[in-house]
Amino acid sequence: MSETNVKTSPVRIFGQPKMAILLLLGFSSGLPFYLTSKTLQAWMTTAHVDLATIGFFSLVTLPYSLKFVWAPVMDRYVPPFLGRRRGWVLITQILLLISIAAMSLHDPQRGLQMLAINAIAIAFFSASQDISLDAYRTDVLENREMGAGAAVFVLGYRIAMISTGALAFFLADRMPWQTVYIILSSLILIGVATVFFAPEPVLSDAPPKTLGEAVVLPFADFFQRVGLGRAVFVLLFIVTYKYSDSLAGSMTTPFLLQAGFSQSEVGAVFLGVGVIATILGVIAGGVVIGKLGINRSLWIFVVFQGLSNLTYYGLSLAGKNHTFMVAAIVTENFGLGLVTAGMTAYLMSMCNKRFTATQFALLSSLMAASRDILVAPAGKIAESIGWPGFFLTTVAMAIPPLLLLPFIAPWSRETPIGAAPHTGETVPAKVA
C-alpha cells in the first residue's frame, strides 16, 4: 500500500484491521466515564440528592485531571506480560471490573461518602486505563492515520458512553441501581478480550532508563519543541477548548429529568438517535481532519460546539417538548464527536512517541480539568440564574478558545496530515 494511496483513500485507512481494534479499545476507554458522571447523577437525582451536591460530585473524577502524575510509571516500567502498553491496559481493566461491580454495595441516601470513595476509585483506574490506551493509540498509528484513528477511537468511546448511559436509564426503570452497576461492570470484558488480539506497537526509541528520566524528560522535550511562550498558549487552549460542552453536559441529565422526561425517555433517545449522531459526528470529524488538516478543523468544530448549546437553551424555554429534546441530544452528541475527534488528533500530533504516555496524559489532563474541576459550580450556577441563563452561559464559554486559535492553530498555516515524514518526533509545522 503506497503512501499516496493511503492518503487519498479514506476507505482504505478506515478499513485497516487496527481500526477495528481501536474501535473496541475506545469502547473500553469510554465505558467507565458515565458511571461516575451522568449515570451516577441520574441515580443521585432519583434518590433526591440536591442539585448543588450533584454538581460538586463532579470532583470525584479528579483523577482524570491528575493522571499525568503517575503516567511516567507506565512509560518507564513494562509489565511481565503483553508488553509495555497492553500489559497496563489489562491490569487497569481487571481493577475496573472489580470497582464498578462494588458500586452495588452503596445507597446515595445513606452513604454518600462511601459512594464518593468508590466513584473516585473507578475514576482512578479509568484514568490509568486511558493513560495506557492513549499511548497505545498514538504509538500504533502512522502520522497519516491520526485523523481516522482518532475518529474511530472516539467513536468507540462515545458509543460506550451513550450505550452505558442509555442502557443504565432503561434498566433503572426496571430494577435497582445497584443491580444496574453489576450488569454494566460485565461490559469491561469486551475490552479485556480485545487486548489479547491487539498488536503491540513497535517503537524505535527505547523507554526511559529510570523513573527520574520518565518524569523529567517528557516535560523538557515538550517545552523545547514547542517553545516556552507558545507552550503556555497551547496549555491554556487545551483547558478551554471543550469547556463550553463540558459545562453544559455536566448538568444535562438533571435538567432533562427535572423538565419532566422519564429515565426511559432520556435513555431511549441517547441509545437511538444519539448513537447515530455520534457515529456521524466522529466519522465527519475524521473526514474533515483528513481533508482540511487539524488547524482548520479545530476552528470549525469549536464554533459548532458553542452554537449547539443553543438547542438546550431552546428546550429550557419550551419546557417538556420531545422534539426539542431530540434536537438537543442529537446536536450535542454530533458536536461532541467533532470536538473530541479534533482535540484527540491535536494531542496525538503534539507527542514524542518515546514519552507518549506521560505527554498525552499531561495534555489530556488539562482537557479533563475543564470537564471535571471547572464544571463543579455548574449546579450552583443553574440554581442561581435558572436553566435558560445557564445554557446561554455555556454558549459564551466557546469564545475563549476562539480567541486563542490564531496563536495555536492559525487558519492560513495548515500543513496536511501525512505531509511530514513518520518519525518519533512531532513536526511543529504540522500543527503550527
Side-chain angles (χ1 to χ4, degrees):
M1 184 182 297
S2 69
E3 179 84 7
T4 301
N5 287 340
V6 172
K7 288 192 294 183
T8 56
S9 177
V11 174
R12 297 181 72 174
I13 294 179
F14 280 100
Q16 296 178 88
K18 72 172 68 174
M19 296 298 170
I21 295 293
L22 290 176
L23 178 69
L24 294 175
L25 291 179
F27 181 88
S28 181
S29 180
L31 179 64
F33 183 65
Y34 271 0
L35 303 184
T36 56
S37 55
K38 287 186 180 296
T39 302
L40 184 57
Q41 288 173 353
W43 186 6
M44 295 171 69
T45 300
T46 57
H48 306 294
V49 177
D50 63 272
L51 276 181
T53 300
I54 293 175
F56 281 105
F57 233 73
S58 66
L59 294 175
V60 303
T61 56
L62 187 62
Y64 288 105
S65 300
L66 298 176
K67 60 186 177 181
F68 66 90
V69 174
W70 64 94
V73 174
M74 296 180 169
D75 263 335
R76 168 64 184 90
Y77 297 106
V78 181
F81 46 83
L82 295 181
R84 183 182 178 194
R85 302 306 184 197
R86 294 184 302 146
W88 282 114
V89 173
L90 182 61
I91 291 171
T92 55
Q93 286 175 338
I94 298 302
L95 293 172
L96 276 170
L97 178 63
I98 296 171
S99 58
I100 294 172
M103 289 290 278
S104 64
L105 304 175
H106 306 295
D107 182 348
Q109 291 180 323
R110 292 194 290 263
L112 273 178
Q113 183 176 2
M114 292 306 299
L115 182 70
I117 292 173
N118 200 153
I120 290 171
I122 294 175
F124 176 80
F125 297 134
S126 178
S128 300
Q129 179 189 220
D130 287 349
I131 292 171
S132 50
L133 283 178
D134 291 336
Y136 175 83
R137 181 189 61 237
T138 304
D139 291 347
V140 82
L141 290 172
E142 302 286 337
N143 284 344
R144 62 179 178 265
E145 299 166 344
M146 284 186 175
V152 169
F153 192 89
V154 171
L155 173 59
Y157 192 99
R158 290 294 295 164
I159 289 175
M161 292 170 65
I162 296 172
S163 297
T164 53
L167 181 60
F169 291 154
F170 178 81
L171 293 175
D173 275 341
R174 293 158 178 81
M175 62 186 67
W177 273 104
Q178 289 85 349
T179 306
V180 172
Y181 270 81
I182 286 285
I183 294 173
L184 295 180
S185 68
S186 66
L187 296 179
I188 288 289
L189 295 175
I190 295 174
V192 172
T194 303
V195 170
F196 290 96
F197 293 96
E200 182 70 10
V202 178
L203 301 178
S204 57
D205 295 323
K209 297 179 180 179
T210 66
L211 186 57
E213 282 191 3
V215 172
V216 175
L217 292 184
F219 297 92
D221 169 81
F222 175 78
F223 284 100
Q224 181 179 5
R225 285 185 295 110
V226 179
L228 181 59
R230 183 168 179 266
V232 173
F233 284 110
V234 168
L235 299 180
L236 183 60
F237 171 73
I238 292 172
V239 171
T240 61
Y241 186 69
K242 292 180 63 179
Y243 184 58
S244 172
D245 185 85
S246 298
L247 187 63
S250 69
M251 296 304 294
T252 52
T253 298
F255 164 66
L256 292 172
L257 293 176
Q258 287 194 356
F261 299 102
S262 70
Q263 294 176 105
S264 293
E265 287 175 324
V266 175
V269 177
F270 272 122
L271 183 60
V273 293
V275 170
I276 296 174
T278 301
I279 292 173
L280 293 176
V282 294
I283 292 177
V287 172
V288 171
I289 293 169
K291 295 292 185 181
L292 301 181
I294 295 175
N295 288 17
R296 293 177 180 177
S297 299
L298 292 174
W299 284 79
I300 295 171
F301 297 164
V302 74
V303 171
F304 186 95
Q305 171 193 231
L307 295 179
S308 70
N309 290 338
L310 290 175
T311 59
Y312 278 108
Y313 170 73
L315 180 59
S316 69
L317 297 179
K320 186 179 179 182
N321 184 303
H322 286 86
T323 301
F324 267 102
M325 183 192 73
V326 172
I329 291 177
V330 167
T331 306
E332 177 199 15
N333 282 283
F334 185 84
L336 185 55
L338 290 177
V339 296
T340 306
M343 181 53 72
T344 301
Y346 178 73
L347 296 185
M348 285 194 296
S349 71
M350 297 297 290
C351 292
N352 179 333
K353 292 191 175 183
R354 188 183 179 197
F355 315 110
T356 307
T358 303
Q359 288 185 345
F360 198 100
L362 170 65
L363 299 177
S364 60
S365 291
L366 292 172
M367 183 174 64
S370 68
R371 181 191 66 203
D372 303 331
I373 300 176
L374 299 183
V375 301
K380 279 290 187 183
I381 296 173
E383 286 182 337
S384 300
I385 63 178
W387 290 117
F390 172 76
F391 287 115
L392 284 180
T393 300
T394 68
V395 173
M397 290 301 101
I399 296 175
L402 270 176
L403 297 178
L404 288 168
L405 271 171
F407 305 97
I408 301 305
W411 180 277
S412 60
R413 286 169 46 201
E414 183 66 51
T415 299
I417 291 177
H422 174 59
T423 66
E425 298 288 332
T426 297
V427 180
K430 186 165 174 277
V431 294

